Amino acid sequence: MSTETPPSKRERTLAALVEHGLDMFERQGYEQTTVAQIARAAGVTEMTFFRYFPAKEHLVLDDPYDPILTAAIAAEPRESPPFLRAARGIRSAWRALPEPETPIIRRKVRIAAGTPSLRGAVWRSTGNTEQAVVEQLVADGATPEVARVAAASVLAALVAGLFSWAESERGTLADAIERALDVIEVAS
Amino acid sequence: MSTETPPSKRERTLAALVEHGLDMFERQGYEQTTVAQIARAAGVTEMTFFRYFPAKEHLVLDDPYDPILTAAIAAEPRESPPFLRAARGIRSAWRALPEPETPIIRRKVRIAAGTPSLRGAVWRSTGNTEQAVVEQLVADGATPEVARVAAASVLAALVAGLFSWAESERGTLADAIERALDVIEVAS
DNA sequence: TGCCTGAATGTTAGTCGCTCACATTATTCG
DNA sequence: CGAATAATGTGAGCGACTAACATTCAGGCA
């Protein structure tokens, strides 16, 4: 029926690790869950876990959105100040995006939002995106200092919106992000 | 001559730990420096290090500014939107503050800015300040969601300004922060 | 001055995240 | 089927951090 090929062994153990990992994080907390426990629950060795994820936190953190964001920022008119260009670019990027498979994303974000050490990790992992945004703004004429502040501030708003969305049971991701950007774009 | 009492033993080992720690971080990098190495250089045991700092990163991260910030935000007129209230509050708070003993602060911020894992730690450690700002904004009538976004975004700008300041050899801390807030307050 | 109490430090052992070198078992495809 | 390659296991070890317990040191009081 479905056109999907049967999952390879690699895909199956990956899915098992994610499934058991998120499950145990939700039940007993991130810090209280050991990598060895997750591996054991997935029928695999601790070593194997680290072959799939470079660190424990990566079971919760992806981040595939860099190219879309930077492209959208590049499309903004250069007359606006960098801060507004970044905010509006992100806004229009998300508007154009299909709503992603939210169930698992919501679980991950909720775990991250509720775990102090992961909140830090989220910020660090946003570093790549931030760097991309900075480069785009600089390419469009902003100074590096200004670009760094603009990028950091806008992305912080985005992350805060993400966290709020995950904690509230309802609403779409796109709406939450729009509302977050509304808070910041007080100039029109 | 000086009115200072002679440093106690505790003060002396604390100073030794900070001094050798920062020194080694600058010379060989944060990740490449071991807590045991710092302790040894300070003539003390690894265990003693952790009696002074709850974690390695705390040798670099303080954060004594919460009360001043929240007070200044409370003083802002409530007609403005929360985002601007937070930004302007922080601005006026720093304007009123005496320029702190910058040499050691600059060293710490520079180390933090140049170490990915510490950038994340800074963000996590800002959580307290963020929470305080959120509470102040909510007390002044903002919704929690709006307050969280505003606080996160403004503090991110502040941190970005801090990092820029530390990396550039000259300029005062207050000026750097003002410039960072200028980027964000595009509405007037 | 000498003791005495509490602060400061040391010791040992252990957990957890994470890495490396090397051996072993599965998969898949010619 | 057999060989190449992918996936996993083993064991040893490092570094951050914690806890229980023992020890030494500092400074005030008789």
Side-chain angles (χ1 to χ4, degrees), chain B residues 10 13 44-45 47-48 51-52:
Chain B
R10 184 167 185 86
T13 50
V44 106
T45 292
M47 182 74 258
T48 296
R51 282 199 255 254
Y52 283 82

Side-chain angles (χ1 to χ4, degrees), chain B residues 68-86:
Chain B
I68 303 115
L69 293 187
T70 54
I73 292 172
E76 287 294 309
R78 304 203 185 173
E79 294 78 50
S80 314
F83 179 67
L84 290 182
R85 239 153 52 214

Side-chain angles (χ1 to χ4, degrees), chain A residues 11 22 30-31 40 53 58 92 106 122 139 145 150 153:
Chain A
E11 289 168 324
L22 294 185
Y30 176 83
E31 309 281 7
R40 195 160 131 279
F53 305 99
H58 282 72
S92 72
R106 198 169 219 151
V122 166
E145 290 81 15
S153 178

Side-chain angles (χ1 to χ4, degrees), chain A residues 71-85:
Chain A
I73 292 172
E76 287 294 309
R78 305 205 184 172
E79 294 77 51
S80 315
F83 179 67
L84 290 183
R85 239 154 52 213

